[in-house]
Structures are given as structure tokens and as C-alpha cells.
């Protein structure tokens, strides 16, 4: 009997932003992705306050409608937290520690920075071992459990199952690298900027190592209370010595053009305006509303939908 290769199930990518939910579901083909679903649904203005989800009940009502209309009951979904709600860094530990020992040390380090020392945390980490070395580098991401639990409960009540909680900077880099896969060199220092309604994220990486990440939501401390272009000026000035080779920019048309000028003034980088669907098949099925000039706000949703489903999900 001919063996049929197992393909992990596709995940529904949900980018939940201040004005809209962006949904993308993809099918992975041999050399590309096929677009199975694209959808944008407006959110009530009460869901977000100062860039944060405040009303999960209203979010649930909107998700219930979206799930019903798209027939997504019991589908597995992936969404993301903003990086400013996640502690991320690399630390050095002795080689040979068990996963439990690594997680315990990460939890202890993160808790020292929290006002509530009894806070329950969700921790994920990746070892970077060097054969024969006494020490290893560990990159970790940790967040408060209640941040994740609210999403899990909300999506479950709406009829979805949250398979993965990602972080927006990794989602953005994943989408940009795919959209520019024929343009970027493998180990190039790249930066990615996404500007939405009342939200922007700017990050840079070389390979798997994040060089910097910043977020803007128009409120809070001095940097965040700037306009988005003032914030971008600050970022470009702060990181101008990082030798970024290429910058990908996507988002609202009125801000992208000005952002390109700001980046070009400070950095001698190649700048690309990104269409997240440019390297995918099946876009013509969805009409002109998702043409190249109207698709940039789906960049994060695409990056989420590209996330590989864990092999143990069936």
C-alpha cells in the first residue's frame, strides 16, 4: 500500500487589532501557499482601550459571528500577543539542564521583575547548544498566564480552539521573510515595520536572533505618546548604528509613504513595501477588495497562518 505523507492541519490565523479582526487560512503546497480564506470583520470600538483588549465579551460576540459565517466551528486557531506583554531575551545556563530546570530558572528570573511575585507565568524557550560547551544559550519568551487564558476562553466560547499563542514580532518577521523570499539573503539583517490603526510594531533580526523590537499604541509612557511618525523617528535614531540592510514596510497607505521617507532619511537600507499575498496562489478567487494595494493590513494574519501546527495536533 502506498504511504500517504501526513500533513499537519492548517491553522486559522487571527490578527485581532483595534478596529478589525483579520483572518487568513492557508494550505501549504510544495513551493507556495494556497489561500483558502481571507476575511476582515469590524470590531466594536469598546473592545480596545489604549491599545489593549478590555472587553473580551464584545470580542467574543464578534468572533461568534465570524466563526458562524465562515463555518469555522472547532477549527484550530493561532493568534498573537504584542511583544510589550512578553518578556523575551537570551540567557546563559549550564549545559545539560533538564527542561524543568531551565523553565524554573527562567520563571525565577522573570518573577524578580514583576510586582506580584506569585504571578503564574507561561514560558516557552529554545536551547542553542554548542557541542562540548559547558554553557548553553537559551532564548525564552514568558508572559502572565492570565494574558493567555483570556484568549483561550474567548476563542473556545466562540467555537475555536487556540492551538498556539505567538508574539507579534515573530509573526511579522515570518510574513516578511516569506513575501520577500526571492529578494532577501539568508543571513541578512532585516527590519520590519507594520502600521495599523492605533498600533505599530517595528522589529529587526538576523537569522533567529532578534536585534530589537518596539511597539507603539499612541498612549502610555513618553515614547508611546508620540505620534506614530515621531515614534518611528525615535526608533530610527536609536538604532541607526545597527547596520540594517533591508527594511520591509506595510500597513496603512497614508502612513507607509511617510514612513519610507523617515527611514530613508536615517538609514542607508533597501526599503520594500510588502504585499503579503504576492508569493501565494488563489488570491484571484477573492476579488479586487484584496488586490495588492489593499492587502497590507493582512500581513500579521498571514504570518500567523504560516505558523506550523504542532505534529501532535490531530
Amino acid at each position: 500500500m502506498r504511504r500517504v505523507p501526513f500533513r499537519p492541519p492548517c491553522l486559522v490565523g487571527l490578527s485581532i487589532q483595534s478596529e478589525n479582526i483579520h483572518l487568513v487560512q492557508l494550505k501549504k503546497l510544495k513551493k507556495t501557499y494556497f489561500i483558502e480564506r481571507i476575511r476582515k470583520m469590524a470590531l466594536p470600538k469598546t473592545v480596545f482601550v489604549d491599545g489593549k483588549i478590555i472587553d473580551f465579551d464584545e470580542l467574543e460576540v464578534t468572533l461568534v459571528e465570524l466563526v458562524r459565517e465562515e463555518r469555522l466551528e472547532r477549527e484550530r486557531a493561532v493568534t498573537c500577543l504584542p511583544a510589550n506583554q512578553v518578556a523575551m531575551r537570551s540567557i546563559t545556563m549550564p549545559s545539560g539542564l533538564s527542561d524543568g530546570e531551565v523553565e524554573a530558572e527562567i520563571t525565577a528570573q522573570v518573577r524578580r521583575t514583576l510586582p506580584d511575585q506569585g504571578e503564574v507565568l507561561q514560558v516557552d524557550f529554545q536551547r542553542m547548544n554548542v557541542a562540548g560547551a559547558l554553557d548553553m544559550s537559551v532564548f525564552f519568551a514568558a508572559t502572565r498566564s492570565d494574558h493567555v487564558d483570556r484568549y483561550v476562553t474567548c476563542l473556545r466560547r466562540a467555537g475555536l480552539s487556540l492551538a498556539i499563542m505567538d508574539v507579534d514580532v515573530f509573526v511579522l518577521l515570518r510574513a516578511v521573510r516569506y513575501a520577500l523570499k526571492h529578494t532577501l539573503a539568508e543571513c541578512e539583517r532585516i527590519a520590519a515595520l507594520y502600521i495599523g490603526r492605533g498600533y505599530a510594531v517595528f522589529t529587526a533580526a538576523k537569522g533567529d536572533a532578534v536585534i530589537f523590537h518596539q511597539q507603539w499604541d499612541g498612549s502610555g509612557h513618553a515614547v508611546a505618546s508620540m505620534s506614530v511618525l515621531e515614534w518611528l523617528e525615535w526608533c530610527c535614531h536609536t538604532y541607526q548604528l545597527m547596520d540594517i540592510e533591508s527594511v520591509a514596510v506595510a500597513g496603512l497607505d497614508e502612513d507607509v509613504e511617510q514612513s519610507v521617507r523617515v527611514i530613508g532619511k536615517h538609514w542607508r537600507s533597501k526599503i520594500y513595501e510588502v504585499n503579503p499575498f504576492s508569493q501565494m496562489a488563489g488570491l484571484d478567487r477573492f476579488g479586487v477588495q484584496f488586490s495588492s494595494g489593499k492587502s497590507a493590513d493582512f500581513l500579521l494574519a498571514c504570518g500567523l497562518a504560516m505558523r506550523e501546527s504542532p505534529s501532535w495536533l490531530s
Side-chain angles (χ1 to χ4, degrees):
M1 181 181 293
R2 182 173 177 268
R3 186 178 178 183
V4 178
F6 172 76
R7 287 184 178 271
C10 296
L11 299 177
V12 177
L14 289 174
S15 175
I16 304 170
Q17 299 181 37
S18 60
E19 293 189 356
N20 298 287
I21 298 173
H22 297 88
L23 180 152
V24 172
Q25 189 171 31
L26 305 172
K27 179 186 291 184
K28 192 169 185 179
L29 306 179
K30 188 174 181 180
K31 294 184 178 180
T32 187
Y33 289 96
F34 181 82
I35 304 165
E36 296 211 313
R37 284 189 177 93
I38 312 173
R39 181 71 188 274
K40 178 163 70 173
M41 181 169 278
L43 277 174
K45 294 182 179 180
T46 56
V47 172
F48 277 79
V49 175
D50 293 338
K52 297 179 178 63
I53 299 176
I54 300 299
D55 194 338
F56 275 87
D57 290 336
E58 282 290 344
L59 174 59
E60 180 187 327
V61 170
T62 306
L63 281 170
V64 166
E65 182 181 354
L66 180 61
V67 167
R68 186 184 66 250
E69 292 181 5
E70 292 293 322
R71 299 180 181 180
L72 290 169
E73 290 83 0
R74 295 183 295 280
E75 290 275 3
R76 295 177 178 88
V78 52
T79 190
C80 60
L81 286 171
N84 64 2
Q85 293 183 14
V86 183
M88 297 184 294
R89 61 179 179 271
S90 292
I91 56 176
T92 301
M93 292 185 179
S95 295
L97 293 181
S98 68
D99 286 353
E101 290 169 326
V102 171
E103 185 170 336
E105 177 58 27
I106 293 169
T107 300
Q109 289 203 22
V110 174
R111 278 199 175 133
R112 285 196 285 268
T113 68
L114 296 174
D116 181 358
Q117 296 297 307
E119 198 90 62
V120 179
L121 300 175
Q122 295 268 3
V123 176
D124 194 11
F125 62 87
Q126 180 180 1
R127 301 168 183 260
M128 286 164 273
N129 293 302
V130 176
L134 296 177
D135 294 323
M136 63 179 175
S137 179
V138 176
F139 178 83
F140 73 83
T143 190
R144 291 164 42 189
S145 285
D146 64 331
H147 285 158
V148 178
D149 292 345
R150 290 172 187 170
Y151 283 92
V152 171
T153 301
C154 182
L155 267 66
R156 185 182 68 242
R157 289 176 175 171
L160 294 168
S161 171
L162 182 60
I164 299 173
M165 177 64 80
D166 215 325
V167 183
D168 60 359
V169 293
F170 299 120
V171 173
L172 178 58
L173 288 166
R174 186 182 307 124
V176 162
R177 282 179 171 137
Y178 183 80
L180 298 176
K181 63 180 181 178
H182 298 306
T183 304
L184 299 175
E186 186 174 350
C187 292
E188 194 167 337
R189 285 178 175 251
I190 66 167
L193 171 68
Y194 175 79
I195 303 176
R197 298 278 180 199
Y199 164 84
V201 59
F202 195 24
T203 188
K206 182 177 181 181
D208 294 330
V210 174
I211 299 169
F212 71 78
H213 61 84
Q214 292 289 340
Q215 184 177 319
W216 174 87
D217 61 17
S219 64
H221 59 78
V223 171
S225 62
M226 300 174 180
S227 72
V228 67
L229 292 176
E230 290 170 338
W231 165 82
L232 181 58
E233 288 265 11
W234 177 86
C235 290
C236 289
H237 177 75
T238 301
Y239 300 111
Q240 61 184 335
L241 300 180
M242 294 295 182
D243 194 26
I244 302 300
E245 297 164 82
S246 294
V247 184
V249 182
L252 302 174
D253 290 343
E254 60 266 32
D255 291 322
V256 165
E257 186 176 342
Q258 296 179 74
S259 297
V260 168
R261 286 199 292 266
V262 169
I263 295 167
K265 182 174 71 174
H266 290 275
W267 294 356
R268 295 182 177 180
S269 309
K270 294 168 285 186
I271 303 174
Y272 304 95
E273 294 184 34
V274 178
N275 171 11
F277 300 123
S278 61
Q279 303 296 328
M280 298 182 186
L283 183 63
D284 55 337
R285 297 162 54 238
F286 298 94
V288 296
Q289 60 177 318
F290 299 111
S291 62
S292 60
K294 302 178 181 180
S295 60
D297 49 355
F298 284 86
L299 186 65
L300 291 177
C302 282
L304 287 163
M306 290 176 198
R307 179 70 189 260
E308 293 290 336
S309 176
S311 58
W312 44 264
L313 284 179
S314 58

